[in-house]
Amino acid sequence: MSVDDRPTLSAPDDDPWLWLEEIEGTQPLDFVERQNQLTLAAFGGAAFERDRDILAAIYDRPDNIPYVSRRGSDLHNVWKDATNRRGLWRRTTLEEFRKPHPAWETILDIDQLAASEGEDWLLSQITTMPGSSRAILSLSRGGSDAVTLREFDLATKSFVADGFALPEAKGGADWLDADTLLLSSAHGEDMATSSGYARTVRLWRRGQKVEQASVLFEASVSDMAAYCYVDRITSNRTIWFGRMLDFFNFSVSLGDQTGPLARLDLPTDIELQAHGDWLAIKPRSVWSVAGRTYKADAVLGISLSAFLKGGREFAVLFEPAPRRAIQGFFWVAGRLVLSILDELRPHFEICTPSAATWSRETLPGLPQIGVVDVWALDRHASESNGDLLANVQDPLTPPSLLLMERGVASPTVLKQAPKTFTADGLVVTQHEAISVDGERIPYVQTGPARESGDAPVYMTAYGGFAVSVKPYYHASLGKLWLERGGTIVQANLRGGGEFGTRWHDAGRLAGKKLSHDDFAAVAADLVRRGVTTPKRIAAQGGSNGGILITNMLVRYPERFGALFCTIPLIDMRRYTRLLAGASWIAEYGDPDKPDEWDWLKTYSAYHNVKAGQAYPPILIATTRRDDRVHPGHARKMAAKLQAMGFEAWFYEPAAGGHGYGKDNKERAGFEVLGYRFLKEKIGWTDG
């Protein structure tokens, strides 16, 4: 008896499930409701509710670290807990924040706002201006990327009557002065790129209708986005305008409130950070200029004024190596902070420019193991005195928030997160698997010191967009997996940024298939080392990781016992036509080009499902308010698998955006549903 396995590789556009792409359609929502009922009936119940409440209580703890940024003299924080599920926007002082129990002043109660206006509001972004009490708030419905913009007064703690306001759209605004915004928003006719982001930068004056705002700068429809940034360090408030040509290529211009005046003569595949009269540049590829050749991923420094006069004498601030790569860089109070991974160990340097040379020093007092993240305390560079914050942790050590005053003082602990699970008898070890082409793939294993041979293993990875996966302290996995006797494994696949552009490029476009081979190699290595057996390996991945997990389903089903696929990208034939999909062509390729479809089809799991295979059970979950990765990916894959007789479950809550929920309880429920599914399907009864 044959089964309908459309769409297929031979007929990729013959898709009987297209109706599931209608996000709010009656028939698709009936499908979602039936699926949710079945999934919750199977994996909900008392055990689910117990674990969900345990996890939500951890997320709602009053002694969790309130992460802050300084605006003017105040530290600002958005705080969520069981009482304030959508969040409190609040402020305090640094002196008060140092206390064990600081006093906070509430600026806006988002729960009260949502209730009073009958909207599913979450606070997405706060855009302030130095020296002003005014802010532009980006309010999201249910966690979506699209936001409404509204002007708010921090002095009166209220929205400004007849102030700036813009209906829902992707994008935002920056203040030029108290009565003028630079608007980078997709709102309006012909104002969106094919990716759904802002195509123009507009000068919007107080009292004007947005339709009357003059266009200062525009990108093409095929670009990813147009953007701008006001450099308030310069006396004339230089405005940087940019075209984001794709995810990894940019065209940058300098200008003022009349528009761009000069485009910088730079390769497009660069990352650039400007600060007054200084530039820091990182090219993705080898760059030869003015008789010198610079390595890909080197960080180069130069005076902006010298560059504009034709100077190309760059100072080399960072030299990459095969397993030593820059992770990011930013300016603070006239100094450039470099974040480096050296064989996956964190390292930070500060480079200070002068007219004669650049000095260099190591950021003091930080560990060189585990995870260390560093950023500027001040929201606005023009207000910064150089103070830095650092977050330090590892899989068994909860985060500590440190302050480095003026970026040079020894770190002092501001806040220590609570231990949320018992780590007795657990160890963290690093290993390497050998992938199909001989490449060494690092992974971190956390679990019992002694191998049992059949450990219940939770595996995860990402492998895309040059995002580096780091071994953070994970409250939910710690409490609900490690503490109960399980093991967790985090893999560093090609496609990530752990070892720089060469590592990323090896796992993108046609190489994306190699990224998936890397993950399967780690699963095999766990068995080879005697950690577990294939049927005891549960794997989860989300977003770009959704491609990963569905490829484990169709390409390496024998290596896994169960799979959990979240907010996923799956259908690589139609992804560019769904929401923000066109913005990811530089990562995957263009399915409308036959030569690029030739490689895309090799990892479009939606087209590679075959009847009669022994696939492991899979739960595919998304959210209806995800306006980045279309929920149709998850819906269609689940429907096709079920129609072909495979064990596939589906779950889709109404809110959450490109995440797991709009509040701590929803987030906990989403995660726990996946854990309960995985545990049952790998045969692990954890009490």
Side-chain angles (χ1 to χ4, degrees), residues 297-351:
D297 290 348
V299 178
L300 313 175
I302 195 170
S303 158
L304 173 60
S305 54
F307 182 89
L308 293 175
K309 292 174 183 176
R312 295 298 183 267
E313 294 299 317
F314 293 97
V316 178
L317 308 178
F318 172 80
E319 284 268 15
R323 294 215 163 198
R324 174 180 166 88
I326 200 79
Q327 299 299 296
F329 52 100
F330 63 91
W331 290 95
V332 58
R335 291 177 293 180
L336 184 71
V337 180
L338 304 178
S339 171
I340 300 162
L341 277 185
D342 189 342
E343 289 287 357
L344 301 179
R345 295 187 300 269
H347 179 72
F348 294 86
E349 294 182 358
I350 295 182
C351 299

Side-chain angles (χ1 to χ4, degrees), residues 136 149-151 162-165 175 179-181 204-206:
I136 295 294
L149 304 182
R150 288 166 67 177
E151 187 176 3
D162 299 322
F164 288 109
W175 291 97
D179 295 310
T180 315
L181 293 179
W204 189 13
R205 300 188 185 280
R206 187 175 298 281

Side-chain angles (χ1 to χ4, degrees), residues 118-453:
E119 293 283 3
D120 192 17
W121 289 135
L122 294 175
L123 183 55
S124 176
Q125 186 173 337
I126 302 161
T127 304
T128 53
M129 181 176 66
S132 172
S133 66
R134 296 294 175 88
I136 295 294
L137 302 191
S138 299
L139 295 168
S140 162
R141 289 185 174 88
S144 63
D145 287 349
V147 293
T148 64
L149 304 182
R150 288 166 67 177
E151 187 176 3
F152 187 88
D153 192 325
L154 281 79
T156 63
K157 303 179 189 177
S158 62
F159 289 100
V160 177
D162 299 322
F164 288 109
L166 194 72
E168 187 176 64
K170 289 187 179 182
D174 194 8
W175 291 97
L176 181 61
D177 57 47
D179 295 310
T180 315
L181 293 179
L182 292 170
L183 183 66
S184 304
S185 172
H187 172 75
E189 188 175 354
D190 296 326
M191 292 297 169
T193 64
S194 57
S195 298
Y197 296 107
R199 194 183 64 79
T200 65
V201 175
R202 288 173 276 180
L203 188 74
W204 189 13
R205 300 188 185 280
R206 187 175 298 281
Q208 271 188 330
K209 294 182 178 179
V210 70
E211 293 78 14
Q212 298 171 333
S214 57
V215 174
L216 298 184
F217 179 74
E218 56 186 298
S220 71
V221 173
S222 60
D223 290 341
M224 183 174 167
Y227 62 93
C228 70
Y229 164 72
V230 181
D231 187 349
R232 299 182 185 280
I233 294 173
T234 57
S235 58
N236 58 351
R237 291 192 183 177
T238 299
I239 301 175
W240 290 84
F241 296 94
R243 289 173 57 202
M244 195 170 183
L245 307 177
D246 60 36
F247 226 94
F248 313 111
N249 285 273
F250 306 83
S251 174
V252 181
S253 299
L254 272 176
D256 57 24
Q257 63 182 20
T258 66
L261 301 175
R263 188 177 72 82
L264 269 65
D265 180 21
L266 288 167
T268 61
D269 64 338
I270 53 99
E271 181 180 348
L272 179 151
Q273 296 288 339
H275 186 78
D277 191 43
W278 296 103
L279 290 181
I281 299 165
K282 180 176 76 72
R284 282 179 54 88
S285 56
V286 174
W287 183 26
S288 295
V289 61
R292 291 189 64 183
T293 297
Y294 302 99
K295 293 181 180 179
D297 290 348
V299 178
L300 313 175
I302 195 170
S303 158
L304 173 60
S305 54
F307 182 89
L308 293 175
K309 292 174 183 176
R312 295 298 183 267
E313 294 299 317
F314 293 97
V316 178
L317 308 178
F318 172 80
E319 284 268 15
R323 294 215 163 198
R324 174 180 166 88
I326 200 79
Q327 299 299 296
F329 52 100
F330 63 91
W331 290 95
V332 58
R335 291 177 293 180
L336 184 71
V337 180
L338 304 178
S339 171
I340 300 162
L341 277 185
D342 189 342
E343 289 287 357
L344 301 179
R345 295 187 300 269
H347 179 72
F348 294 86
E349 294 182 358
I350 295 182
C351 299
T352 305
S354 68
T357 186
W358 292 68
S359 65
R360 180 194 307 271
E361 59 187 313
T362 297
L363 201 58
L366 295 174
Q368 294 187 2
I369 58 172
V371 180
V372 183
D373 295 312
V374 175
W375 65 98
L377 171 59
D378 292 280
R379 174 62 181 82
H380 296 286
S382 61
E383 296 183 322
S384 178
N385 66 354
D387 287 352
L388 298 172
L389 292 176
N391 210 29
V392 177
Q393 61 194 293
D394 65 42
L396 299 179
T397 307
S400 295
L401 181 65
L402 312 178
L403 173 67
M404 289 167 284
E405 294 183 271
R406 302 191 182 276
V408 293
S410 296
T412 58
V413 177
L414 287 176
K415 299 294 175 187
Q416 173 70 59
K419 293 182 178 180
T420 58
F421 62 90
T422 301
D424 296 346
L426 301 177
V427 296
V428 181
T429 54
Q430 290 185 303
H431 308 272
E432 288 184 339
I434 305 301
S435 195
V436 293
D437 61 346
E439 182 64 79
R440 295 179 294 136
I441 309 303
Y443 65 96
V444 174
Q445 177 179 323
T446 307
R450 179 174 297 179
E451 308 293 6
S452 65

Side-chain angles (χ1 to χ4, degrees), residues 70-119:
R70 187 162 58 195
R71 300 170 189 265
S73 60
D74 293 329
L75 304 188
H76 288 237
N77 163 258
V78 176
W79 177 261
K80 293 182 179 181
D81 58 23
T83 303
N84 308 284
R85 297 183 63 181
R86 296 172 185 273
L88 282 180
W89 175 22
R90 57 189 192 168
R91 63 188 168 196
T92 190
T93 64
L94 179 56
E95 180 182 7
E96 187 70 24
F97 188 71
R98 293 177 187 271
K99 299 177 181 178
H101 305 288
W104 293 91
E105 177 191 0
T106 298
I107 303 172
L108 179 65
D109 185 323
I110 298 106
D111 292 87
Q112 287 184 3
L113 176 68
S116 65
E117 297 188 353
E119 293 283 3

